[in-house]
Amino acid sequence: MPQVKGPALLAEQTLPDYLAQGLKLLFVGINPGFYSAQVGHYYARPGNLFWWALSNSGLVPGPMGPENDAQLLQYGIGLTDVVKRPTHSSGELRQDEYDEGAKRAVITIETYAPKVACFVGLLGATAFLGHQVKGGPLSEKIGTTKLFAIPSPSRRNAHYGRDGILQFFQQLNHFVTFQP
């Protein structure tokens, strides 16, 4: 039997989707981390570079943190995950969960039609699209939505470093800004 680290989550405890029509950008994560679901905010684990890079990328007007996740909608930015079940690592996900979540994510992207959907995590984007993905703009589209991928900003993905993660977020800002 696997050991549970920290307080147990309720079976239905996850993160809400932050969605609206007319988004300029939708961040699509693989699934909520256990800690983020526990505290109720996206990319909340201390040391995760998501909020630091977002705050310094030009996508938002100033510093933001996990507690501001719902406020991203006012800047035309949404948040969702392919799979809504929290885990300590995305490696804990079952293939059937990912397959069902990918179908749901496609429907979500087609329904809300953001200008750009950005996969947060290259492994997740690779699994989603069915072929090796590098960071940056992707050739595929979902409906009218253009796709982009960034490496996971988790400190577990340390080989990119702060500067490398920031460069991907800045490239994303440029890509979003210059879409018709």
Side-chain angles (χ1 to χ4, degrees), residues 53-74:
L54 179 69
S55 296
N56 289 287
S57 68
L59 284 162
V60 294
M64 298 189 86
E67 67 281 1
N68 304 116
D69 51 8
Q71 295 170 7
L72 285 179
L73 288 173
Q74 69 190 22

Side-chain angles (χ1 to χ4, degrees), residues 19 23-29 43 59 76-82 105-121 125 128-129 133-150 172 175-176 179:
L19 300 166
L23 293 173
K24 67 179 181 181
L25 174 61
L26 176 62
F27 283 108
V28 182
Y43 306 103
L59 284 162
I77 299 172
L79 293 161
T80 191
D81 295 294
V82 174
V106 167
I107 291 168
T108 297
I109 292 169
E110 289 175 339
T111 300
Y112 289 93
K115 284 192 340 184
V116 175
C118 177
F119 293 100
V120 182
F128 190 91
L129 295 170
V133 170
K134 293 183 179 179
L138 304 175
S139 59
E140 294 87 354
K141 289 169 69 172
I142 297 176
T144 60
T145 300
K146 295 184 180 176
L147 304 181
F148 197 96
I150 59 174
L172 174 61
F175 185 72
V176 168
Q179 294 307 307

Side-chain angles (χ1 to χ4, degrees), residues 12-133:
E12 68 278 357
Q13 189 171 343
T14 189
L15 294 174
D17 289 334
Y18 293 111
L19 300 166
Q21 293 294 328
L23 293 173
K24 67 179 181 181
L25 174 61
L26 176 62
F27 283 108
V28 182
I30 298 171
N31 74 304
F34 186 85
Y35 180 83
S36 290
Q38 194 174 38
V39 300
H41 295 289
Y42 281 82
Y43 306 103
R45 181 166 290 288
N48 189 302
L49 295 173
F50 179 89
W51 293 101
W52 172 82
L54 179 69
S55 296
N56 289 287
S57 68
L59 284 162
V60 294
M64 298 189 86
E67 67 281 1
N68 304 116
D69 51 8
Q71 295 170 7
L72 285 179
L73 288 173
Q74 69 190 22
Y75 302 111
I77 299 172
L79 293 161
T80 191
D81 295 294
V82 174
V83 177
K84 296 307 286 182
R85 182 173 70 89
T87 60
H88 292 286
S89 164
S90 61
E92 297 172 30
L93 296 174
R94 299 183 316 270
Q95 188 62 46
D96 65 306
E97 289 178 292
Y98 201 81
D99 293 345
E100 284 303 309
K103 291 175 191 172
R104 185 187 71 81
V106 167
I107 291 168
T108 297
I109 292 169
E110 289 175 339
T111 300
Y112 289 93
K115 284 192 340 184
V116 175
C118 177
F119 293 100
V120 182
L122 301 181
L123 291 177
T126 293
F128 190 91
L129 295 170
H131 63 83
Q132 186 69 35
V133 170

